[in-house]
Each structure stands twice: as structure tokens, then as C-alpha cells.
Amino acid sequence: MNASTGHAMFGETPPVRRKLRQEALAQWVFGAMAAAMIVPLLLIVGYLVVRAAPSLNLEFLLEVPKRGMTEGGIWPAFVGTLYLVFLSLAFSAPIGILAAVYLNEYARDNWFNRVINLAVINLAGVPSIVHALFGLGAFVYAARFGYSIISASLTLAIMTLPVIIAATREALASVPRSFREACWNVGATRWQTIWAVVLPNSISGILTGIILEVSRAAGETAPVMFTGVVFFKAVERGDLFPYYLNEQCMALSMHLYTISTQVPGVKESIPFATAIVLLALVLMVNAAAISLRVYLRSRKKW
Amino acid sequence: MRPAHRSSCFPQLGLAACAIALALQPGCKPGGSSGGSGGANPRITIQNKGSDTMVNVAQVWAEEYKKIHPHVDVEVSGGGSGVGIAALIKGTIDLASTSRDMKAEEKALAKKNTGKEPREFVVGHDALVVYVHKDNPLAEITNEQLADIFAEGGKITKWSDLGVKLPADRDVIVRVSRQSSSGTYEFFREHVLNKRDFKLGSRDMNGSKEVVELVGLTMSAIGYSGLGYNEPGKVKMLKVSPKAGQPAIEPGVATTLSKQYPIARPLLLYTLGEPTGELKNYIDWILTDAGQQIVEKSGYVPLRAGTSKP
């Protein structure tokens, strides 16, 4: 470490210099790789913002599409996405959490539970277009919900379920076993232990997992396009409750797809501004998840 | 499966439950969520699905109709004529918009499934236009040449086969086609390829607009799409002659209405059985001058000449 004495005692021989050069090179390459991770994100966001700039204002969010969707805003699609996301989470979160509690706290290692585990893992790997077809067959046709918000959100719920289960299990597993043992040792049942010890200590992880699913649900096009999202539906400007649940709605992802592939003569900045809104929605939800996690962590006692 | 009813004395879980309840609220608000008619303010929903060619005009119909009849919601979605017909056969929609006829077996299937005979309405026409890149010197083409370019076994694969000089590396024709659920695809196959199959290796686009965009960016491309998707300055519309030796006809409103242009087709709406109530009113309105003006403004050919001038 001491350069002057080091220099005096050991002169910088060529092998040492080579080693130092390699070291500098390695650091530079690895640093560049790390930087390369954020470059695409910055480029994407920057490019979108620049192209979207003429349309980026509150009016764009609140206004409905006009003149054959070539002008105006994206309100119906924005509200539609909110409907789909919250409704799908309302279905999948309780089921997913309860299933994860069972799998993590009650389930023994027998063939039945191994089958359930396998099913959860496989369900997570099913492509979204397959979920779409399943939703079409199960909810639209078989359950007779028709093309509707209900069908679409149930399809999304099934798609998000395995990830919620996985995230919840991970959160539950992170609670030290000694906590449970302490609780059992004072005579608590399994359920009392879960309710009083396990859930309060894992809630931040569970909620984060659920909220992160919002971004996935908001971004999916295929499952909702097959089951209850339409190309266009006329609603009032700024109307917070424009849809009944047995009707179809518009959604941001689908709207972005149609105005960029289907509608001629769309004002140039509109598709980009739509992408920005979708991206901002996802980033905001992620930020909410992170701050919630930080807040709940700060109250953790261990 | 009503998760919102989980009451809890658990502060953090309660927070989650609260969020869920909030999310459900919009659904619960409009009194039992009766989407159909009934109540003081009867709200009618018409579900319209089908042709990508027609989805833009259908969308403007819905937008304009809502202005005159605020209680009628028309839900418009695309996917292709085949998708619309399939949904009509299942009885899940009210109105299928298609750019091709329903086949006899499809009608029979609809009758068998729903007990109702599909009823057809012609609401306009569309000229199928053959597009090339704006710098392509070709001006006209015959039906046979089109078939030789697009159909299986067709001999034309290079621009030089058509006598067109493009830079040497652009000589191979890039064929731009549509996905097989598209009515445009089906119509082109039937009326230009004489029901032969398409050659493999074409670029199959998912939308009418994408075809024109790709052709506009690709010098060696040729593609077919609706008249309404023309982008002047990027692509060129070819004149088409029905047979070699006959004069080539320019695609357009006049030549389509006079039935001179060889690859034109009707735009259709199908209902299950004779339409009644608001559905009937909606279709009637589409057939009026107001509805037909929208057809023309969207780049299609209205039923009657001169509707664009009120």
C-alpha cells in the first residue's frame, strides 16, 4: 500500500505493470457492462419522452380519443387498465396468499403437495397467449361471462397467481423458524402462529410481490385482447366509472398496439405518449412497492 | 369468491383489503352492475367484432353514434373477419363486421349454435389496392401477374421478371401479405389467386396499416391492403388490369362504384337474426348519409356516390 517505500523496495517490473494494466482493464470492462444495464433504459425513456413531448400533458390523460383515434387522449384506455389490474389483483391476491400460506406453513412433503408445487411452477411458465386462449374458453365461453372485464381480469388473475404464490412463499420462508418455534412453545396452534407471528413479519415481502404483479398485469396484451378488451369504446372525458364489469373496456397496452399498427394518420406523438403513460404507471407502481417495503422494513423488530 | 369481504383486525392486511375494496367499488357502484337495459337510464351495449379492414370505420361510427345516442355504447374490436364470424357463431357478440362473405357452412353452424340465421348488411365497399414502394417504377400490373407473384407455384420471384429495373440487390420481390384470419387475406386468395394457396415466405402482417408501412420502407416490396390505408409519399398504388391486354384501372372511389376496378369487395355487417331495437337503429343509422359519409371519410367507398357532400 505504501507507494514510496514499495517503489523503493520493489521496482515496477514488467510483470507487475502487466498485472496493473489487466486490473485496470478488468475494472473498466466490468464497469462498462454495469453501465450498459442502464443505458438501454435511459435510451428508451429518453427517446420516448422526446418523441412524445408534444402530447405530454394532463389533457392527454383525461381526454378521450377523437377523430377515429388519430387525435385526443387516452382516458378510456387508462381507466380500463386500472380496472383490469385492480380487479385481477382482487381475485388473485387472496387466493395466492392463502395458497402460499398453505404450501409454506401446512404442507408436508408428500406427493400431493409436490404435484401442487409442480403445477405452480409450470403455471408460471405458461406463455401469456396460452392463458389468453384458456381465458377465452373458460370464462368467455364456458362460464358465460362473455367478452367482459370480468373475463379479462380473471384471465389476468390466473396468469399472475403463480408469481404471487412464489413471492409470498419467499416472504414467508424468510421469517426465521425460531420465531415459529417460540410461538408454538407457548402453546399456540399453527393458525395462531401464522396470524400473530408469520404474517406480520412477512407482510412487506408479500405486498411487494403483489404490487410488482401490477406491472405485469398492466403490460399484458394477449390475455385481455382475447377476453374483454376492445379496440374502441366511447366514454365520457374524465369519467372515473365508465364501465360496467360485464362490459368490455379499452386498455393501454392494446391501445398502443392498435394505434401503432392499425389506425392510419395517427398524430405522430400519440403512440409515444401512450407508451410513456404505460411506462409511468408501471414505474410509479414499482416505486410505491419499494417505498412500502422500506416503510414496513423500518418497523421490523429484527 | 368475493375477497373484499374479509374483515380483519390486522392493520397491515386491513390496508390491503381496503385497497381491494376500493378497486372493486367501481364495479359495485352502478346498482347491481346490470349492464343491459332496465332502470331509469337504460344503457345498451352493442358488441361489434371483426374485420381489421373495417375496424377504423367501425370505430368512427361508434364515436359519432355515441354523440347522438349517449345511452348506446358500441364496443368495437378487431382481430380479423374470421375472428368476428367465429364470435358470431358462438353467439358472444351482436354484430360481426367482415370484409368477406360468411361461408354457407359458417351460416349453418351459426344457425345450429344459436338458432338464428345470420342476416347480412352491405354497408360499403373497399378496393383492395396493390402497393409498391414510391420509388418503384412499376405503374400497373395484371391479375395474372399478381397471382404469379403471390400464389404457390407462381413463376415471378424477381422484379426483373416483370421488366422492372431495381438495384441488383433489391431484385428479389419481398411479398407482404396478411395473417390467415384476415378477411383481406381470404379475399385476395379467392379473387386474385383463384383459391390457390399463398407461396411460403411472405411477410404476414397483423394489420392493414402494417402492410403499407412495411412496403413504404422496403424498396423491393409489394403488398396488398385497403384503399383507406394509402400513405401518399411513401407508397404507390398500382393500376390493376383484370386480364393481360385489358386496360389497367386506377383504384379509387369512382372505379369501385362503377365496378370497373377488379379487386373490390363489399364491407359487410352480420347480425344473428333480424336485428331489433337499438341494434336495428344503429345499423339503420350506418346506412343513412351520415353513416355513409364516415365510410368515405375513412377512405372506403360508400354505397352511393356523392354522400360526402351533404
PDB file of all heavy atoms in Angstrom, chain A residues 271-298:
ATOM      1  N   PRO A 271     -48.706   7.688 -30.104  1.00  0.00           N
ATOM      2  CA  PRO A 271     -48.257   6.368 -29.641  1.00  0.00           C
ATOM      3  C   PRO A 271     -47.149   6.468 -28.603  1.00  0.00           C
ATOM      4  O   PRO A 271     -47.134   5.711 -27.629  1.00  0.00           O
ATOM      5  CB  PRO A 271     -47.756   5.695 -30.916  1.00  0.00           C
ATOM      6  CG  PRO A 271     -48.416   6.405 -32.022  1.00  0.00           C
ATOM      7  CD  PRO A 271     -48.627   7.814 -31.560  1.00  0.00           C
ATOM      8  N   PHE A 272     -46.235   7.409 -28.800  1.00  0.00           N
ATOM      9  CA  PHE A 272     -45.137   7.544 -27.846  1.00  0.00           C
ATOM     10  C   PHE A 272     -45.638   8.020 -26.495  1.00  0.00           C
ATOM     11  O   PHE A 272     -45.210   7.532 -25.452  1.00  0.00           O
ATOM     12  CB  PHE A 272     -44.081   8.502 -28.408  1.00  0.00           C
ATOM     13  CG  PHE A 272     -43.381   7.949 -29.609  1.00  0.00           C
ATOM     14  CD1 PHE A 272     -43.769   8.312 -30.877  1.00  0.00           C
ATOM     15  CD2 PHE A 272     -42.360   7.038 -29.459  1.00  0.00           C
ATOM     16  CE1 PHE A 272     -43.138   7.782 -31.986  1.00  0.00           C
ATOM     17  CE2 PHE A 272     -41.714   6.493 -30.558  1.00  0.00           C
ATOM     18  CZ  PHE A 272     -42.115   6.869 -31.822  1.00  0.00           C
ATOM     19  N   ALA A 273     -46.574   8.958 -26.521  1.00  0.00           N
ATOM     20  CA  ALA A 273     -47.117   9.449 -25.252  1.00  0.00           C
ATOM     21  C   ALA A 273     -47.880   8.331 -24.540  1.00  0.00           C
ATOM     22  O   ALA A 273     -47.836   8.221 -23.314  1.00  0.00           O
ATOM     23  CB  ALA A 273     -48.026  10.643 -25.505  1.00  0.00           C
ATOM     24  N   THR A 274     -48.568   7.478 -25.312  1.00  0.00           N
ATOM     25  CA  THR A 274     -49.262   6.350 -24.702  1.00  0.00           C
ATOM     26  C   THR A 274     -48.265   5.420 -24.027  1.00  0.00           C
ATOM     27  O   THR A 274     -48.489   4.953 -22.900  1.00  0.00           O
ATOM     28  CB  THR A 274     -50.056   5.578 -25.777  1.00  0.00           C
ATOM     29  OG1 THR A 274     -50.865   6.498 -26.497  1.00  0.00           O
ATOM     30  CG2 THR A 274     -50.924   4.516 -25.148  1.00  0.00           C
ATOM     31  N   ALA A 275     -47.151   5.175 -24.713  1.00  0.00           N
ATOM     32  CA  ALA A 275     -46.112   4.332 -24.121  1.00  0.00           C
ATOM     33  C   ALA A 275     -45.582   4.944 -22.843  1.00  0.00           C
ATOM     34  O   ALA A 275     -45.332   4.240 -21.859  1.00  0.00           O
ATOM     35  CB  ALA A 275     -44.980   4.123 -25.119  1.00  0.00           C
ATOM     36  N   ILE A 276     -45.419   6.264 -22.845  1.00  0.00           N
ATOM     37  CA  ILE A 276     -44.930   6.946 -21.642  1.00  0.00           C
ATOM     38  C   ILE A 276     -45.891   6.744 -20.479  1.00  0.00           C
ATOM     39  O   ILE A 276     -45.485   6.436 -19.357  1.00  0.00           O
ATOM     40  CB  ILE A 276     -44.767   8.463 -21.912  1.00  0.00           C
ATOM     41  CG1 ILE A 276     -43.559   8.707 -22.808  1.00  0.00           C
ATOM     42  CG2 ILE A 276     -44.637   9.238 -20.619  1.00  0.00           C
ATOM     43  CD1 ILE A 276     -42.249   8.692 -22.097  1.00  0.00           C
ATOM     44  N   VAL A 277     -47.188   6.887 -20.746  1.00  0.00           N
ATOM     45  CA  VAL A 277     -48.168   6.735 -19.678  1.00  0.00           C
ATOM     46  C   VAL A 277     -48.110   5.312 -19.114  1.00  0.00           C
ATOM     47  O   VAL A 277     -48.109   5.101 -17.902  1.00  0.00           O
ATOM     48  CB  VAL A 277     -49.582   7.066 -20.182  1.00  0.00           C
ATOM     49  CG1 VAL A 277     -50.621   6.713 -19.136  1.00  0.00           C
ATOM     50  CG2 VAL A 277     -49.676   8.542 -20.529  1.00  0.00           C
ATOM     51  N   LEU A 278     -48.032   4.333 -20.016  1.00  0.00           N
ATOM     52  CA  LEU A 278     -47.952   2.936 -19.570  1.00  0.00           C
ATOM     53  C   LEU A 278     -46.700   2.723 -18.724  1.00  0.00           C
ATOM     54  O   LEU A 278     -46.739   2.122 -17.646  1.00  0.00           O
ATOM     55  CB  LEU A 278     -47.942   2.024 -20.802  1.00  0.00           C
ATOM     56  CG  LEU A 278     -48.008   0.521 -20.573  1.00  0.00           C
ATOM     57  CD1 LEU A 278     -49.218   0.153 -19.749  1.00  0.00           C
ATOM     58  CD2 LEU A 278     -48.042  -0.219 -21.892  1.00  0.00           C
ATOM     59  N   LEU A 279     -45.583   3.263 -19.212  1.00  0.00           N
ATOM     60  CA  LEU A 279     -44.317   3.116 -18.512  1.00  0.00           C
ATOM     61  C   LEU A 279     -44.365   3.823 -17.158  1.00  0.00           C
ATOM     62  O   LEU A 279     -43.931   3.282 -16.143  1.00  0.00           O
ATOM     63  CB  LEU A 279     -43.208   3.727 -19.375  1.00  0.00           C
ATOM     64  CG  LEU A 279     -41.788   3.258 -19.135  1.00  0.00           C
ATOM     65  CD1 LEU A 279     -41.679   1.785 -19.439  1.00  0.00           C
ATOM     66  CD2 LEU A 279     -40.832   4.043 -20.011  1.00  0.00           C
ATOM     67  N   ALA A 280     -44.931   5.023 -17.140  1.00  0.00           N
ATOM     68  CA  ALA A 280     -45.008   5.792 -15.904  1.00  0.00           C
ATOM     69  C   ALA A 280     -45.877   5.073 -14.886  1.00  0.00           C
ATOM     70  O   ALA A 280     -45.562   5.021 -13.701  1.00  0.00           O
ATOM     71  CB  ALA A 280     -45.561   7.190 -16.182  1.00  0.00           C
ATOM     72  N   LEU A 281     -46.974   4.480 -15.375  1.00  0.00           N
ATOM     73  CA  LEU A 281     -47.860   3.731 -14.481  1.00  0.00           C
ATOM     74  C   LEU A 281     -47.084   2.609 -13.810  1.00  0.00           C
ATOM     75  O   LEU A 281     -47.120   2.431 -12.591  1.00  0.00           O
ATOM     76  CB  LEU A 281     -49.026   3.170 -15.304  1.00  0.00           C
ATOM     77  CG  LEU A 281     -50.170   2.534 -14.535  1.00  0.00           C
ATOM     78  CD1 LEU A 281     -50.986   3.604 -13.854  1.00  0.00           C
ATOM     79  CD2 LEU A 281     -51.044   1.726 -15.472  1.00  0.00           C
ATOM     80  N   VAL A 282     -46.335   1.863 -14.620  1.00  0.00           N
ATOM     81  CA  VAL A 282     -45.568   0.740 -14.095  1.00  0.00           C
ATOM     82  C   VAL A 282     -44.481   1.218 -13.136  1.00  0.00           C
ATOM     83  O   VAL A 282     -44.315   0.680 -12.042  1.00  0.00           O
ATOM     84  CB  VAL A 282     -44.962  -0.059 -15.270  1.00  0.00           C
ATOM     85  CG1 VAL A 282     -43.948  -1.054 -14.763  1.00  0.00           C
ATOM     86  CG2 VAL A 282     -46.051  -0.749 -16.045  1.00  0.00           C
ATOM     87  N   LEU A 283     -43.762   2.267 -13.526  1.00  0.00           N
ATOM     88  CA  LEU A 283     -42.686   2.755 -12.669  1.00  0.00           C
ATOM     89  C   LEU A 283     -43.232   3.297 -11.359  1.00  0.00           C
ATOM     90  O   LEU A 283     -42.647   3.111 -10.293  1.00  0.00           O
ATOM     91  CB  LEU A 283     -41.877   3.846 -13.392  1.00  0.00           C
ATOM     92  CG  LEU A 283     -41.008   3.358 -14.550  1.00  0.00           C
ATOM     93  CD1 LEU A 283     -40.221   4.502 -15.157  1.00  0.00           C
ATOM     94  CD2 LEU A 283     -40.068   2.253 -14.105  1.00  0.00           C
ATOM     95  N   MET A 284     -44.401   3.975 -11.442  1.00  0.00           N
ATOM     96  CA  MET A 284     -44.987   4.514 -10.226  1.00  0.00           C
ATOM     97  C   MET A 284     -45.400   3.401  -9.279  1.00  0.00           C
ATOM     98  O   MET A 284     -45.202   3.482  -8.068  1.00  0.00           O
ATOM     99  CB  MET A 284     -46.199   5.386 -10.558  1.00  0.00           C
ATOM    100  CG  MET A 284     -45.888   6.876 -10.461  1.00  0.00           C
ATOM    101  SD  MET A 284     -46.881   7.874 -11.570  1.00  0.00           S
ATOM    102  CE  MET A 284     -48.508   7.270 -11.301  1.00  0.00           C
ATOM    103  N   VAL A 285     -45.972   2.360  -9.860  1.00  0.00           N
ATOM    104  CA  VAL A 285     -46.373   1.226  -9.030  1.00  0.00           C
ATOM    105  C   VAL A 285     -45.147   0.585  -8.390  1.00  0.00           C
ATOM    106  O   VAL A 285     -45.150   0.249  -7.209  1.00  0.00           O
ATOM    107  CB  VAL A 285     -47.164   0.212  -9.878  1.00  0.00           C
ATOM    108  CG1 VAL A 285     -47.294  -1.096  -9.155  1.00  0.00           C
ATOM    109  CG2 VAL A 285     -48.526   0.775 -10.203  1.00  0.00           C
ATOM    110  N   ASN A 286     -44.079   0.436  -9.169  1.00  0.00           N
ATOM    111  CA  ASN A 286     -42.851  -0.130  -8.613  1.00  0.00           C
ATOM    112  C   ASN A 286     -42.297   0.745  -7.503  1.00  0.00           C
ATOM    113  O   ASN A 286     -41.854   0.247  -6.469  1.00  0.00           O
ATOM    114  CB  ASN A 286     -41.802  -0.296  -9.713  1.00  0.00           C
ATOM    115  CG  ASN A 286     -42.146  -1.442 -10.630  1.00  0.00           C
ATOM    116  OD1 ASN A 286     -43.155  -2.112 -10.429  1.00  0.00           O
ATOM    117  ND2 ASN A 286     -41.329  -1.666 -11.623  1.00  0.00           N
ATOM    118  N   ALA A 287     -42.324   2.053  -7.718  1.00  0.00           N
ATOM    119  CA  ALA A 287     -41.830   2.970  -6.694  1.00  0.00           C
ATOM    120  C   ALA A 287     -42.672   2.841  -5.431  1.00  0.00           C
ATOM    121  O   ALA A 287     -42.151   2.834  -4.315  1.00  0.00           O
ATOM    122  CB  ALA A 287     -41.868   4.402  -7.224  1.00  0.00           C
ATOM    123  N   ALA A 288     -43.988   2.686  -5.613  1.00  0.00           N
ATOM    124  CA  ALA A 288     -44.870   2.515  -4.458  1.00  0.00           C
ATOM    125  C   ALA A 288     -44.496   1.247  -3.710  1.00  0.00           C
ATOM    126  O   ALA A 288     -44.448   1.229  -2.474  1.00  0.00           O
ATOM    127  CB  ALA A 288     -46.322   2.462  -4.916  1.00  0.00           C
ATOM    128  N   ALA A 289     -44.206   0.184  -4.469  1.00  0.00           N
ATOM    129  CA  ALA A 289     -43.832  -1.075  -3.830  1.00  0.00           C
ATOM    130  C   ALA A 289     -42.565  -0.912  -3.020  1.00  0.00           C
ATOM    131  O   ALA A 289     -42.465  -1.394  -1.888  1.00  0.00           O
ATOM    132  CB  ALA A 289     -43.640  -2.154  -4.894  1.00  0.00           C
ATOM    133  N   ILE A 290     -41.615  -0.203  -3.589  1.00  0.00           N
ATOM    134  CA  ILE A 290     -40.339  -0.034  -2.899  1.00  0.00           C
ATOM    135  C   ILE A 290     -40.526   0.800  -1.629  1.00  0.00           C
ATOM    136  O   ILE A 290     -40.030   0.446  -0.561  1.00  0.00           O
ATOM    137  CB  ILE A 290     -39.305   0.623  -3.836  1.00  0.00           C
ATOM    138  CG1 ILE A 290     -38.955  -0.371  -4.940  1.00  0.00           C
ATOM    139  CG2 ILE A 290     -38.059   1.027  -3.068  1.00  0.00           C
ATOM    140  CD1 ILE A 290     -38.233   0.241  -6.099  1.00  0.00           C
ATOM    141  N   SER A 291     -41.290   1.888  -1.739  1.00  0.00           N
ATOM    142  CA  SER A 291     -41.437   2.722  -0.539  1.00  0.00           C
ATOM    143  C   SER A 291     -42.240   2.006   0.543  1.00  0.00           C
ATOM    144  O   SER A 291     -41.950   2.141   1.724  1.00  0.00           O
ATOM    145  CB  SER A 291     -42.054   4.082  -0.878  1.00  0.00           C
ATOM    146  OG  SER A 291     -43.023   3.951  -1.856  1.00  0.00           O
ATOM    147  N   LEU A 292     -43.226   1.217   0.116  1.00  0.00           N
ATOM    148  CA  LEU A 292     -43.995   0.445   1.095  1.00  0.00           C
ATOM    149  C   LEU A 292     -43.077  -0.532   1.820  1.00  0.00           C
ATOM    150  O   LEU A 292     -43.129  -0.691   3.040  1.00  0.00           O
ATOM    151  CB  LEU A 292     -45.118  -0.311   0.379  1.00  0.00           C
ATOM    152  CG  LEU A 292     -46.134  -0.987   1.274  1.00  0.00           C
ATOM    153  CD1 LEU A 292     -46.927   0.059   2.034  1.00  0.00           C
ATOM    154  CD2 LEU A 292     -47.061  -1.864   0.465  1.00  0.00           C
ATOM    155  N   ARG A 293     -42.194  -1.150   1.030  1.00  0.00           N
ATOM    156  CA  ARG A 293     -41.285  -2.118   1.613  1.00  0.00           C
ATOM    157  C   ARG A 293     -40.344  -1.424   2.609  1.00  0.00           C
ATOM    158  O   ARG A 293     -40.125  -1.912   3.716  1.00  0.00           O
ATOM    159  CB  ARG A 293     -40.486  -2.786   0.495  1.00  0.00           C
ATOM    160  CG  ARG A 293     -39.241  -3.477   0.977  1.00  0.00           C
ATOM    161  CD  ARG A 293     -38.592  -4.239  -0.125  1.00  0.00           C
ATOM    162  NE  ARG A 293     -39.265  -5.514  -0.297  1.00  0.00           N
ATOM    163  CZ  ARG A 293     -38.724  -6.539  -0.935  1.00  0.00           C
ATOM    164  NH1 ARG A 293     -37.555  -6.422  -1.504  1.00  0.00           N
ATOM    165  NH2 ARG A 293     -39.356  -7.670  -1.031  1.00  0.00           N
ATOM    166  N   VAL A 294     -39.838  -0.268   2.210  1.00  0.00           N
ATOM    167  CA  VAL A 294     -38.934   0.461   3.100  1.00  0.00           C
ATOM    168  C   VAL A 294     -39.651   0.826   4.391  1.00  0.00           C
ATOM    169  O   VAL A 294     -39.130   0.648   5.498  1.00  0.00           O
ATOM    170  CB  VAL A 294     -38.400   1.734   2.400  1.00  0.00           C
ATOM    171  CG1 VAL A 294     -37.690   2.639   3.395  1.00  0.00           C
ATOM    172  CG2 VAL A 294     -37.453   1.329   1.276  1.00  0.00           C
ATOM    173  N   TYR A 295     -40.901   1.305   4.251  1.00  0.00           N
ATOM    174  CA  TYR A 295     -41.666   1.716   5.425  1.00  0.00           C
ATOM    175  C   TYR A 295     -41.898   0.534   6.359  1.00  0.00           C
ATOM    176  O   TYR A 295     -41.656   0.602   7.566  1.00  0.00           O
ATOM    177  CB  TYR A 295     -43.001   2.319   4.971  1.00  0.00           C
ATOM    178  CG  TYR A 295     -43.982   2.529   6.079  1.00  0.00           C
ATOM    179  CD1 TYR A 295     -43.783   3.536   7.031  1.00  0.00           C
ATOM    180  CD2 TYR A 295     -45.119   1.729   6.193  1.00  0.00           C
ATOM    181  CE1 TYR A 295     -44.667   3.723   8.053  1.00  0.00           C
ATOM    182  CE2 TYR A 295     -46.023   1.922   7.212  1.00  0.00           C
ATOM    183  CZ  TYR A 295     -45.800   2.917   8.148  1.00  0.00           C
ATOM    184  OH  TYR A 295     -46.680   3.114   9.165  1.00  0.00           O
ATOM    185  N   LEU A 296     -42.343  -0.588   5.791  1.00  0.00           N
ATOM    186  CA  LEU A 296     -42.650  -1.737   6.639  1.00  0.00           C
ATOM    187  C   LEU A 296     -41.382  -2.341   7.235  1.00  0.00           C
ATOM    188  O   LEU A 296     -41.382  -2.842   8.347  1.00  0.00           O
ATOM    189  CB  LEU A 296     -43.420  -2.786   5.847  1.00  0.00           C
ATOM    190  CG  LEU A 296     -44.844  -2.363   5.470  1.00  0.00           C
ATOM    191  CD1 LEU A 296     -45.478  -3.364   4.529  1.00  0.00           C
ATOM    192  CD2 LEU A 296     -45.704  -2.205   6.710  1.00  0.00           C
ATOM    193  N   ARG A 297     -40.284  -2.286   6.465  1.00  0.00           N
ATOM    194  CA  ARG A 297     -38.996  -2.768   6.982  1.00  0.00           C
ATOM    195  C   ARG A 297     -38.573  -1.984   8.206  1.00  0.00           C
ATOM    196  O   ARG A 297     -38.075  -2.531   9.170  1.00  0.00           O
ATOM    197  CB  ARG A 297     -37.927  -2.576   5.911  1.00  0.00           C
ATOM    198  CG  ARG A 297     -37.764  -3.722   4.994  1.00  0.00           C
ATOM    199  CD  ARG A 297     -36.533  -4.566   5.376  1.00  0.00           C
ATOM    200  NE  ARG A 297     -36.534  -5.749   4.534  1.00  0.00           N
ATOM    201  CZ  ARG A 297     -36.066  -5.737   3.299  1.00  0.00           C
ATOM    202  NH1 ARG A 297     -35.520  -4.652   2.809  1.00  0.00           N
ATOM    203  NH2 ARG A 297     -36.123  -6.830   2.572  1.00  0.00           N
ATOM    204  N   SER A 298     -38.808  -0.648   8.118  1.00  0.00           N
ATOM    205  CA  SER A 298     -38.341   0.196   9.208  1.00  0.00           C
ATOM    206  C   SER A 298     -39.077  -0.130  10.502  1.00  0.00           C
ATOM    207  O   SER A 298     -38.614   0.196  11.580  1.00  0.00           O
ATOM    208  CB  SER A 298     -38.558   1.668   8.854  1.00  0.00           C
ATOM    209  OG  SER A 298     -39.946   1.936   8.836  1.00  0.00           O
TER     210      SER A 298
END
